[in-house]
């Protein structure tokens, strides 16, 4: 009934669709009458509403009364038939006194059914029962002939109780004859009383409807006032005339289309942008000569926001909104904006934005690793396909190896080819290429700037490199090239070539700056990777020189080892195997926190110190105590020199295995304990008493762990890089190691190393990994001989004789004389200077080991005796004829040992000395 001010034309057209459309000003001014007649419309609407409500209420009352009469008739019929067909009714009517039986039952039925009367009478019409006893025995009112014929009869007539709806039902005997009749009635007064009871509800409903309609009319009137903002017709007319002028003055096209695809309104700008013919308004959009896609868009049933479409030589930004969504009739409101120049500017801005995004991505993605080749690959991955269709990268061989580039050669090795699947179009990866002087590659390397070839098919200099391959490149539609040197700090490291297909379009001069920026970022990253490669190679070389190459030969253990440097660079993990006298072997594993040359150098210092302390044959706890003091001194020296931080976080585990007893003794300074795999496959992680890391012990005492291992047990020593990294904790790595060791019961140490690394080693280790697996062996008891020596010089000859017999049994006659000489001297010294118990032990392993132990801790000293001295020559003889000799200190006493090679042959002595020479030391009675 009313319409929004914002859509007058669309509203009006909905009323006269298909007719010639008046002008925009006339359409707007036609709405002014709405405001002036609003009051009259409201009064007319209210009058009609009252009349309609009264008529509807009257009809509803009559309908209700009719329904009540029908309901009364149905109830009377049901009650009469129920009473007539009751078994007691027939027998009562056939009895000698029907009234006496029927009167109480009739009254009971009347009250139960809620009717006004239940009357029974005979065929003659004489009543047997009646609510009024005075009427019993009298004739009924009215005719009941149809009932005597056996039919139910219902009618409304005046009865003894007034007008009523009456139903008469015959009572039929078994032979089909009518015995009597039953009449049931409901008075009209009672029917009207029911209707009267409903009348307030009906009148209330009518009044409510009237109130709702009246309120609706009031709201509509107020809405009209609100939409017109309370303006009088003059003001409203002036406002719409102003809107009409503005609509045609704006530099944006405005169109209104109807739901059936007709043009309802087009302002001057829209007619100009679309080049509409005269009289276009009112015609179908399809008949206006517009491009199909544009005509379809103007009547589209979807929301369109700033979609750019071509209309002739213009680019129009089109917006479409449905008028139905805002209360108007079906149709669209369309705005058009000429964006031809804006589109060109936006294209240049988008291109600049894409270039900036490309350079940003290059800064993020190039140089993620310190690997020269991978960095070159990252440059190609960033540029393809966003900047070029194909990218090739060449580097100098010196750069690949981490060396300093010479800068005086055009010979390079291809490292990357990206963007083309065929391998024969460009030089393959790994090919060494020397660029010809006329090629863009050689020119860019010569002048240090990018060289552009917009159309390769029109220039010939680049063909001089390889005409056949150049033709193959052109056959694959590659038409444009930018060659850029990879330069850092004024030195050329390599070359990046960007290629484009003909379908992509050629490179333009403004692309040169982008190519140079990409190459500059990549060159810095490649140079950093080159420097790292050089330093890494130096550190690896240093580390390899400091780590053990081939482990020394020994018989106590079967050993395998692995060392894997971290991807971030070499570190300070190390391991070692040190043979000790007495068929014993020391196992060492340690870790210096950090990476690089300093960590490797520190590792070398610690390894050297361990070797030096091992030569003193110290126990594990003593050795680590000395090593802790050594680290503390190194840190103090570094602090005095002001040369950076000292050794921080160094750990070490030192273990000694005795092949004679099968006993292993170990101590730890901050290092995780080893795992032991017993011959039955049981895996145990030893709980070695852990002291603080090296340099932090503060002279604290260290504890040792002693363990007896069965032959064939595997002792697994490792650094924490094997089981711990950023992605898993220590316990998880330990369980993985346990599972790997449990699964290979009969594996050799070499196989165990391989199994452990496959199962436990992280995918990208953050730290160095040192692993050593040692399978224990026991020295054959038949190769061990031992004697107790009393404190009597005469016992020397007896022990010496036993030793000679044992040497004969071992087949060592060739060194019997030398052994006899050495043992005689050592035993004599023990008797003369030592205390009980004195023991002699010979071990036949790879060498013959002679040991003499006593209970004193005095250390023998080698010295040169003068010609006038009576003694002092014994240890000189021991040092001269033994391959090695030394002293070690068990928990009680000392052991002096000497090793002789079984293959050296008998040492040649002074012939004329013979036994007299020996007897002067071992036969005091002489």
């Amino acid at each position: 009934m009313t319409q929004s001010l914002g859509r007058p034309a669309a509203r009006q057209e909905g009323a006269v669709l298909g007719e010639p459309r008046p002008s925009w000003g006339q359409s707007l001014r036609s709405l002014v009458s709405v405001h002036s007649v609003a009051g009259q419309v409201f009064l007319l609407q209210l009058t009609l509403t009252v009349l309609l409500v009264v008529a509807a209420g009257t009809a509803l009352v009559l309908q209700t009364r009719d329904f009540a009469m029908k309901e009364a008739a149905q109830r009377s019929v049901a009650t009469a038939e129920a009473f007539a067909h009751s078994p007691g009714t027939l027998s009562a009517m056939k009895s000698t006194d029907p009234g006496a039986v029927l009167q109480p039952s009739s009254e009971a039925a009347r009250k139960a059914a809620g009717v006004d009367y239940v009357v029974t009478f005979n065929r003659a019409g004489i009543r047997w029962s009646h609510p009024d006893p005075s009427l019993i025995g009298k004739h009924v009112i009215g005719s009941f002939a149809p009932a005597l014929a056996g039919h139910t009869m219902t009618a409304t007539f005046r009865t003894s109780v007034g007008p009523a709806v009456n139903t008469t039902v015959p009572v039929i005997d078994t032979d089909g004859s009518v015995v009597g009749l039953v009449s049931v009635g409901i008075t009209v007064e009672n029917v009207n009383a029911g209707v009267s009871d409903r009348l307030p509800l009906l009148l209330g409903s009518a009044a409510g409807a009237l109130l709702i309609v009246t309120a609706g009319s009031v709201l509509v009137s107020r809405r009209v006032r609100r939409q017109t903002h309370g303006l009088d017709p003059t003001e409203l007319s002036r406002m719409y005339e102003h809107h009409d002028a503005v609509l045609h003055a704006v530099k944006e096209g405005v169109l209104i289309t109807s739901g059936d695809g007709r043009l309802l309104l087009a302002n001057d700008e829209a007619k100009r942008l679309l080049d509409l013919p005269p009289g276009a308004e009112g015609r179908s959009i399809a008949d206006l000569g517009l491009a199909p896609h544009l005509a379809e868009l103007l009547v589209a049933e979807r929301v369109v926001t700033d979609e750019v479409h071509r209309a002739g030589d213009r680019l129009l930004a089109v917006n479409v909104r449905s008028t139905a969504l805002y209360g108007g009739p079906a149709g669209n409101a369309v705005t058009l904006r000429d964006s031809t120049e804006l589109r060109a500017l936006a294209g240049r801005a988008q291109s600049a934005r894409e270039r900036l995004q490309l350079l940003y991505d290059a800064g993020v993605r190039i140089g993620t690793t310190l690997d020269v080749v991978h960095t070159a690959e990252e440059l190609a991955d960033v540029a393809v396909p966003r900047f070029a269709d194909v990218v090739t990268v060449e580097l100098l061989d010196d750069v690949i190896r981490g060396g300093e580039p010479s800068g005086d050669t055009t010979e390079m090795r291809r490292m990357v080819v990206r963007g083309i699947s065929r391998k024969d179009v460009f030089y393959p990866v790994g090919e060494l290429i020397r660029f010809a002087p006329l090629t863009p590659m050689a020119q860019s390397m010569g002048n240090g700037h990018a060289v552009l070839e917009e159309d390769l098919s029109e220039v010939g200099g680049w063909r001089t490199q390889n005409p056949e391959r150049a033709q193959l490149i052109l056959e694959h539609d590659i038409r444009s090239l930018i060659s850029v040197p990879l330069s850092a700090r004024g030195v050329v490291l390599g070359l990046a070539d960007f290629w484009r297909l003909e379908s992509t379009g050629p490179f333009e001069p403004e692309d040169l700056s982008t190519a140079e920026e990409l190459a500059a970022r990549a060159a810095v990253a490649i140079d950093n990777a080159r420097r790292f490669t050089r330093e890494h190679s130096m550190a690896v070389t240093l580390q390899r020189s400091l780590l053990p190459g081939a482990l020394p030969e020994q018989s106590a253990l079967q050993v395998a080892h692995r060392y894997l440097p971290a991807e971030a660079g070499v570190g300070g993990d190390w391991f070692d195997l040190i043979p000790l006298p007495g068929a014993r072997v020391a196992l060492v594993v340690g870790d210096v926190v950090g990476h690089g040359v300093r960590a490797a150098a520190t590792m070398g210092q610690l390894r050297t110190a361990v070797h030096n302390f091992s030569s003193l044959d110290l126990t594990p706890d003593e050795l680590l105590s000395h090593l802790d003091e050594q680290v503390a001194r190194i840190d103090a020296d570094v602090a005095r020199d002001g040369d950076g931080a000292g050794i921080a976080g160094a750990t070490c585990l030192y273990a000694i295995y005795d092949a004679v007893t099968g006993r292993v003794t170990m101590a730890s300074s901050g290092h995780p304990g080893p795992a032991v795999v017993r011959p039955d496959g049981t895996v145990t992680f030893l709980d070695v008493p852990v002291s603080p890391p090296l340099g932090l012990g503060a002279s604290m005492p260290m504890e040792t762990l002693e363990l007896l291992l069965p032959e064939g047990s595997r002792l697994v020593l490792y650094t924490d890089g094997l089981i711990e990294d950023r992605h898993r904790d220590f316990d998880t790595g330990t369980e993985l190691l346990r599972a790997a060791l449990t699964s290979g019961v009969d594996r050799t140490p070499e196989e165990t190393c391989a199994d452990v690394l496959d199962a436990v080693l992280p995918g990208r280790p953050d730290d160095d990994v040192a692993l050593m697996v040692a399978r224990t062996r026991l020295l054959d008891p038949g190769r061990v001989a031992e004697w107790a020596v009393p404190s009597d010089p005469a016992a020397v000859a007896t022990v010496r004789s036993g030793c000679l017999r044992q040497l004969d049994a071992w087949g060592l006659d060739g060194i019997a004389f030398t052994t006899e000489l050495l043992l005689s001297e050592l035993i004599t010294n023990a008797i003369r200077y030592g205390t009980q118990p004195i023991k002699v032990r010979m071990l036949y392993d790879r060498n013959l080991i002679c040991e003499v132990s006593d209970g004193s801790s005095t250390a023998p000293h080698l010295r040169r005796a003068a010609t006038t001295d009576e003694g002092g020559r014994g240890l000189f003889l021991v040092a001269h004829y033994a391959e090695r000799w030394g002293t070690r200190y068990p928990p009680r006493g000392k052991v002096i040992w000497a090793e002789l090679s079984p293959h050296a042959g008998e040492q040649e002595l002074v012939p004329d000395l013979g036994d007299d020479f020996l007897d002067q030391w071992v036969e005091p009675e002489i």
Side-chain angles (χ1 to χ4, degrees):
M1 181 172 279
T2 61
Q3 51 189 329
S4 171
L5 293 178
R7 293 172 296 279
R11 289 289 190 180
Q12 186 181 19
E13 183 60 18
V16 293
L17 187 63
E19 300 179 2
R21 181 187 172 282
S23 69
W24 174 247
Q26 293 174 349
S27 300
L28 296 179
R29 284 191 296 272
S30 66
L31 292 178
V32 178
S33 61
V34 175
H35 177 71
S36 60
V37 302
Q40 299 177 8
V41 171
F42 170 70
L43 294 176
L44 178 62
Q45 184 180 22
L46 181 61
T47 302
L48 292 176
T49 300
V50 171
L51 293 177
L52 289 174
V53 170
V54 170
T58 303
L60 188 59
V61 171
L62 295 176
Q63 184 180 9
T64 302
R65 186 178 183 282
D66 182 60
F67 176 76
M69 292 293 291
K70 289 181 180 180
E71 183 182 9
Q74 292 173 356
R75 187 146 53 97
S76 66
V77 170
T79 304
E81 288 182 347
F83 190 82
H85 297 154
S86 176
T89 302
L90 178 62
S91 60
M93 288 184 178
K94 293 173 65 176
S95 67
T96 56
D97 189 3
V101 179
L102 292 174
Q103 176 63 19
S105 61
S106 297
E107 285 302 298
R110 178 182 69 81
K111 294 177 181 179
V115 296
D116 291 310
Y117 61 84
V118 176
V119 178
T120 60
F121 53 94
N122 59 18
R123 292 175 57 86
I126 303 302
R127 297 183 181 95
W128 283 324
S129 64
H130 194 280
D132 187 359
S134 64
L135 296 179
I136 296 175
K138 295 183 180 181
H139 199 281
V140 299
I141 299 174
S143 174
F144 49 87
L148 290 176
H151 301 290
T152 298
M153 182 181 70
T154 301
T156 301
F157 56 87
R158 181 172 295 279
T159 66
S160 59
V161 296
V165 178
N166 182 79
T167 299
T168 303
V169 178
V171 179
I172 301 173
D173 200 355
T174 56
D175 59 358
S177 62
V178 177
V179 177
L181 299 100
V182 177
S183 182
V184 177
I186 300 174
T187 63
V188 174
E189 182 181 0
N190 288 338
V191 173
N192 291 336
V195 174
S196 298
D197 292 340
R198 299 178 185 178
L199 190 59
L201 177 62
L202 297 176
L203 294 178
S205 299
L210 179 61
L211 180 61
I212 292 174
V213 172
T214 302
S217 299
V218 173
L219 292 176
V220 170
S221 178
R222 292 181 62 185
R223 179 176 176 83
V224 172
R225 294 286 298 174
R226 185 168 60 253
Q227 288 180 337
T228 59
H229 301 285
L231 300 176
D232 58 34
T234 303
E235 293 174 335
L236 191 62
S237 177
R238 184 172 63 252
M239 181 185 69
Y240 275 103
E241 288 176 352
H242 176 70
H243 286 178
D244 185 41
V246 171
L247 180 68
H248 290 282
V250 295
K251 296 301 293 181
E252 186 171 281
V254 179
L255 301 98
I256 303 295
T257 62
S258 65
D260 62 350
R262 292 181 177 274
L263 178 63
L264 303 181
L265 169 69
N267 68 350
D268 296 341
E269 182 68 7
K271 294 176 182 178
R272 184 186 71 83
L273 294 176
L274 296 178
D275 196 17
L276 297 178
E281 294 173 330
R283 295 170 57 182
S284 174
I285 297 293
D287 298 335
L288 297 179
L290 301 176
H293 72 279
L294 190 57
E296 182 181 353
L297 183 65
L298 297 182
V299 295
E301 296 181 358
R302 62 185 178 92
V303 174
V304 177
T305 302
D306 286 337
E307 284 191 10
V308 178
H309 294 268
R310 182 173 293 279
D313 57 352
R314 297 186 180 94
L315 290 176
L316 303 181
V318 182
N319 292 271
V320 180
R321 297 291 186 275
S322 173
T323 56
L325 297 177
Y326 303 94
N332 289 333
V334 183
T335 61
L336 308 171
R337 186 173 65 254
D338 191 352
S339 63
T340 305
E341 295 182 359
L342 182 62
R343 187 69 175 177
L345 181 61
R348 290 192 295 270
Q350 176 67 15
S351 177
R353 189 191 68 81
E354 291 176 354
R355 291 175 187 270
L356 290 175
Q357 185 64 40
L358 174 64
L359 295 177
Y360 171 79
D361 292 343
V364 173
R365 295 173 54 186
I366 298 176
T368 59
T369 65
L370 292 173
D371 181 85
V372 173
V373 177
H374 187 72
T375 304
E377 293 173 346
E378 289 174 337
L379 167 61
D381 292 336
V382 168
V384 175
R386 297 165 61 183
F387 182 69
D389 296 307
V390 180
V391 173
T392 59
V393 181
E394 298 82 34
L395 297 175
L396 295 170
D397 277 345
D398 291 339
V399 174
I400 300 171
R401 292 190 295 266
E404 288 289 343
S406 60
D408 57 353
T409 178
T410 59
E411 187 175 69
M412 298 185 181
R413 192 171 301 277
R414 175 147 291 171
M415 305 309 300
V416 182
V417 177
R418 283 288 190 278
I420 191 168
S421 57
R422 284 194 57 174
K423 305 299 183 183
D424 58 339
V425 177
F426 292 92
Y427 288 110
V429 173
E431 182 89 4
L432 191 63
I433 309 171
R434 179 178 291 275
F435 293 105
L438 297 180
T439 60
M441 296 78 170
Q443 294 174 7
S444 66
M445 291 173 60
N447 59 33
H449 297 286
V451 173
L452 168 64
E453 295 290 356
E454 294 188 23
D455 191 348
L456 294 174
S457 62
E458 296 181 357
V459 294
W462 72 285
R463 299 173 184 262
T464 59
Q465 179 69 35
N466 189 322
E468 294 79 9
R469 196 175 294 275
Q471 185 60 34
L472 191 60
I473 291 175
L474 293 176
E475 291 175 359
H476 280 75
D477 294 329
I478 298 175
R479 288 295 184 271
S480 189
L481 164 67
I482 293 180
S483 183
V484 192
L486 299 173
S487 302
R489 302 187 322 278
V491 178
V492 175
L493 307 174
L495 192 67
D497 301 317
F498 302 96
W499 312 75
R500 275 189 184 176
L501 299 174
E502 185 174 13
S503 58
T504 306
F507 287 111
E508 298 176 355
E510 54 264 28
D511 292 323
L512 288 172
S513 59
T514 303
E516 289 183 339
E517 182 66 23
L518 285 174
R521 297 185 181 219
V524 171
I526 290 173
D527 189 55
N528 291 336
R530 177 192 65 81
R531 289 166 170 261
F532 172 79
T533 300
R534 181 183 61 188
E535 294 182 2
H536 181 73
S537 299
M538 293 171 57
V540 168
T541 302
L542 173 62
Q543 185 185 45
R544 293 296 183 187
S545 65
L546 296 175
L547 285 173
L551 296 180
E553 296 182 358
Q554 43 79 40
S555 303
L557 298 170
Q558 181 185 3
V559 182
H561 59 88
R562 295 288 189 277
Y563 175 81
L564 298 176
E567 290 192 358
V570 297
D573 291 15
W574 92 92
F575 62 92
D576 221 330
L577 179 73
I578 306 173
L580 298 177
R584 295 173 305 131
V585 176
L587 298 171
V588 190
V589 64
D591 184 5
V592 176
V593 175
H595 299 89
V597 175
R598 178 177 290 275
T602 301
M603 177 269 292
Q605 288 179 292
L606 296 182
R607 181 168 177 255
T608 301
V610 170
H611 270 269
N612 292 335
F613 292 137
S614 296
S615 64
L616 300 178
D617 214 342
L618 301 176
T619 59
D621 56 330
E622 291 178 320
L623 184 141
L624 291 182
S625 295
H626 288 296
L627 191 61
D628 179 71
E629 295 175 0
Q630 179 70 19
V631 171
R633 284 195 296 271
I634 294 175
D635 286 345
D637 293 341
V638 172
R640 283 194 302 270
D641 295 340
D643 191 23
I647 302 173
T651 65
C652 183
L653 175 73
Y654 187 84
I656 296 177
Y657 174 71
D658 190 340
V660 177
T661 62
R663 184 173 299 276
V664 61
T665 305
M666 63 186 68
S668 172
S669 183
H671 201 85
V676 172
V677 185
R678 299 185 183 273
D680 60 357
T682 304
V683 178
T684 305
F685 287 90
L686 299 182
D687 189 12
V688 182
V690 179
S691 299
L694 298 174
L696 303 177
S699 301
M700 294 179 60
M702 295 192 180
E703 301 180 51
T704 60
L705 172 69
E706 291 191 7
L707 186 67
L708 189 62
L709 296 179
E711 186 174 13
S713 300
R714 282 173 292 169
L715 194 61
V716 182
L717 290 77
Y718 53 87
T719 56
D720 58 0
L722 175 67
I723 59 177
E724 188 177 21
D725 70 349
R726 292 177 298 177
H727 307 293
R728 70 183 183 202
D729 57 19
F730 185 86
D731 293 337
T732 301
T734 301
E735 290 306 314
L736 290 174
L737 178 58
R738 184 191 301 275
L741 295 176
T742 304
S743 61
V745 178
D746 299 327
R747 311 290 278 174
T748 65
E750 282 289 344
E751 293 170 338
T752 302
C753 284
D755 292 343
V756 168
L757 293 183
D758 291 342
V760 185
L761 187 68
R764 297 176 64 89
D766 299 324
D767 196 4
D768 292 13
V769 175
L771 173 66
M772 187 160 54
V773 179
R775 171 173 286 174
T776 62
R777 297 169 177 166
L778 288 177
L779 190 62
D780 186 355
R783 293 200 169 195
V784 180
E786 190 172 1
W787 298 270
V789 180
S791 298
D792 184 3
V796 176
T798 303
V799 175
R800 187 174 58 195
S801 299
C803 293
L804 291 176
R805 287 193 298 271
Q806 187 62 59
L807 291 174
D808 183 62
W810 287 340
L812 300 178
D813 296 337
I815 60 172
F817 181 77
T818 305
T819 304
E820 183 182 6
L821 177 62
L822 297 184
L823 282 175
S824 298
E825 175 59 29
L826 295 178
I827 296 172
T828 301
N829 283 342
I831 294 173
R832 180 177 299 174
Y833 304 110
T835 61
Q836 286 291 339
I838 301 174
K839 294 182 180 180
V840 175
R841 187 174 70 165
M842 286 198 309
L843 308 175
Y844 181 26
D845 190 14
R846 293 177 176 270
N847 290 334
L848 178 66
I849 304 170
C850 301
E851 297 179 347
V852 177
S853 62
D854 65 81
S856 69
S857 58
T858 56
H861 297 283
L862 179 64
R863 64 186 180 86
R864 183 176 297 276
T867 55
T868 58
D869 290 337
E870 294 184 359
R873 297 177 178 84
L875 289 180
F876 179 79
L877 292 175
V878 173
H880 179 72
Y881 290 110
E883 288 197 355
R884 293 194 306 161
W885 76 281
T887 305
R888 69 173 183 270
Y889 295 89
R892 181 182 176 188
K894 66 177 181 297
V895 177
I896 302 177
W897 56 270
E899 286 189 13
L900 294 95
S901 173
H903 309 292
E906 185 175 354
Q907 293 287 348
E908 191 174 317
L909 296 176
V910 179
D912 58 349
L913 293 178
D915 292 341
D916 293 337
F917 179 79
L918 295 177
D919 290 342
Q920 63 179 317
W921 280 280
V922 300
E923 302 285 352
E925 65 274 18
I926 299 177

